[in-house]
Each structure stands twice: as structure tokens, then as C-alpha cells.
Amino acid sequence: HRHRVMAVRLVMEGQKGVSVARFLGLHRDRVSTYVKNFTTGGMEGLWEQTPPPGKRPYLTEEEQQELKRMIVEACP
């Protein structure tokens, strides 16, 4: 989480997002996301985890929990 705080701090100090991203070894979109999350939600927004884009899971959350339960019970 240290990268998030540092990225926001550097941008707020006037550094360009691209430069911050290069310095921290992040993609520039990630830096923009951190700044946006901080701007809209403060520190809580900065810690917010968003799922990566992509295909939706085949199983619902409930089905995933049931599958985990079944595996744990079957494998002592």
C-alpha cells in the first residue's frame, strides 16, 4: 500500500503521473486510479480494491463458498 500513498503524494506535489509511474514501476493508469480514488474517497478510497477487468467468474460468490467448503471437508 506504500506505493499508493507515495504515488498520490508525488502527484499532489506536482509530479506528472507518467513520471511517478516510471519512478515507482507502475503503469500510468494505476497511478491515475490511485489519485482518483484518493480524490473521491480520501484514505479509505485509496485502500479500496477494485476487481481487475475481464471475464466474469463462472461461479457466483455463493457457489464459490460452497465449493471451498466441499474441498476443505474432502481434504483433511
Side-chain angles (χ1 to χ4, degrees):
H1 290 5
R2 189 173 60 203
H3 281 113
R4 295 176 188 212
V5 174
M6 188 176 288
V8 170
R9 192 188 92 223
L10 290 171
V11 170
M12 296 296 183
E13 289 176 353
Q15 298 292 319
K16 300 270 188 216
V18 174
S19 300
V20 172
R22 190 175 305 120
F23 176 72
L24 295 175
L26 302 170
H27 192 276
R28 68 177 186 265
D29 290 345
R30 180 62 57 196
V31 172
S32 296
T33 300
Y34 292 160
V35 172
K36 183 183 82 170
N37 288 351
F38 178 77
T39 302
T40 59
M43 289 303 285
E44 285 186 28
L46 187 58
W47 304 138
E48 190 174 283
Q49 297 282 343
T50 55
K55 194 172 184 179
R56 287 185 165 171
Y58 290 107
L59 302 176
T60 65
E61 183 65 33
E62 294 81 23
E63 291 170 330
Q64 290 177 31
Q65 293 301 322
E66 177 64 18
L67 180 59
K68 287 178 188 176
R69 185 189 62 74
M70 290 170 55
I71 292 171
V72 168
E73 289 178 0
C75 303

